[in-house]
Amino acid sequence: GDQVEQSPSALSLHEGTGSALRCNFTTTMRAVQWFQQNSRGSLINLFYLASGTKENGRLKSTFNSKESYSTLHIRDAQLEDSGTYFCAANTGANTGKLTFGHGTILRVHP
Amino acid sequence: GPKVLQIPSHQIIDMGQMVTLNCDPVSNHLYFYWYKQILGQQMEFLVNFYNGKVMEKSKLFKDQFSVERPDGSYFTLKIQPTALEDSAVYFCASSFTASSGNTLYFGEGSRLIVV
């Protein structure tokens, strides 16, 4: 089965509202990265976490390695936040490889 | 932030022909990766590369695929011969380390269409 289970698969938000995306891991992960893939297909680095919580503007992410999950919170959503959000995790096997979730398609509408 | 450049951004190629996708990684990075994404789906790991060698490859990295980085130039993914199912966006990434402290930086992708 998948090592990285991401939910929801799709999310629709009104401008100004917020929500959370979640990734559950079926094996121990050492670190997680979150990306936004925009309409052009570019992957934008949002966060890298080995533990704890990081915040950047309207985004906040938490990684709990003991309980094997990570979350990405979006508040005050804007139209430009629309896109596909991926979490990706590193098993720490010293290959550097990231295993991606299936992504969350976020649509922010007026 | 650090930039990974990919050339070409897109290419259309006849089935059976060879294609080479080029990646210019972040300048001080030592580890290089290729990922494959079919039409907005999941990013699938293909291969990673360090010190002139493949470290790990997935089942998607078929015998027709090869990677190299001759003399510190572009990190390349070559597909020979191409098949219809190779149509996808190929993303290159690089990182400074491979330990759990690494952050991968991705290029903008090379969209390959095999006809």
Side-chain angles (χ1 to χ4, degrees):
Chain A
D2 289 344
Q3 290 184 302
V4 181
E5 298 166 346
Q6 188 170 347
S7 62
S9 55
L11 182 59
S12 182
L13 292 177
H14 282 289
E15 258 186 312
T17 64
S19 189
L21 286 55
R22 184 177 173 110
C23 282
N24 291 325
F25 310 116
T26 58
T27 187
T28 301
M29 299 295 184
R30 297 291 179 87
V32 66
Q33 278 188 253
W34 283 91
F35 299 90
Q36 179 197 20
Q37 189 168 37
N38 62 19
S39 57
R40 289 177 49 232
S42 303
L43 276 174
I44 301 163
N45 270 327
L46 298 177
F47 293 103
Y48 168 87
L49 299 105
S51 65
T53 298
K54 286 186 179 178
E55 195 161 353
N56 184 6
R58 296 177 291 102
L59 300 178
K60 182 170 76 172
S61 183
T62 295
F63 175 44
N64 187 323
S65 56
K66 279 188 181 174
E67 296 186 21
S68 296
Y69 74 88
S70 178
T71 58
L72 176 69
H73 291 260
I74 302 172
R75 63 175 175 83
D76 187 23
Q78 303 297 304
L79 297 177
E80 61 264 27
D81 294 333
S82 295
T84 303
Y85 288 77
F86 290 98
C87 68
N90 182 318
T91 62
N94 284 334
T95 67
K97 181 179 83 172
L98 288 179
T99 301
F100 279 75
H102 285 264
T104 296
I105 301 171
L106 173 63
R107 178 176 161 261
V108 181
H109 50 92
Chain B
K3 292 280 190 190
V4 174
L5 301 176
Q6 289 189 238
I7 302 166
S9 58
H10 60 277
Q11 185 157 0
I12 301 174
I13 196 162
D14 289 328
M15 183 175 62
Q17 287 199 308
M18 181 193 76
V19 67
T20 300
L21 306 179
N22 299 290
C23 173
D24 187 10
V26 178
S27 61
N28 64 339
H29 283 187
L30 303 174
Y31 294 82
F32 314 114
Y33 313 80
W34 283 103
Y35 281 79
K36 177 182 180 181
Q37 186 182 40
I38 295 176
L39 202 56
Q41 293 180 22
Q42 189 179 16
M43 297 278 288
E44 303 269 17
F45 170 78
L46 285 176
V47 66
N48 58 358
F49 190 84
Y50 168 72
N51 198 25
K53 296 176 195 165
V54 169
M55 293 176 66
E56 183 181 352
K57 57 185 179 181
S58 73
K59 290 182 294 187
L60 295 178
F61 194 78
K62 304 180 298 185
D63 291 343
Q64 297 89 329
F65 288 29
S66 63
V67 289
E68 64 175 354
R69 192 185 188 210
D71 298 325
S73 61
Y74 287 144
F75 174 52
T76 61
L77 173 65
K78 185 187 294 186
I79 309 175
Q80 179 177 27
T82 50
L84 295 176
E85 62 264 26
D86 297 331
S87 295
V89 181
Y90 291 84
F91 287 91
C92 174
S94 69
S95 66
F96 182 67
T97 75
S99 67
S100 59
N102 68 318
T103 300
L104 265 65
Y105 293 89
F106 283 80
E108 305 257 307
S110 293
R111 181 177 299 274
L112 176 66
I113 300 172
V114 182
V115 297

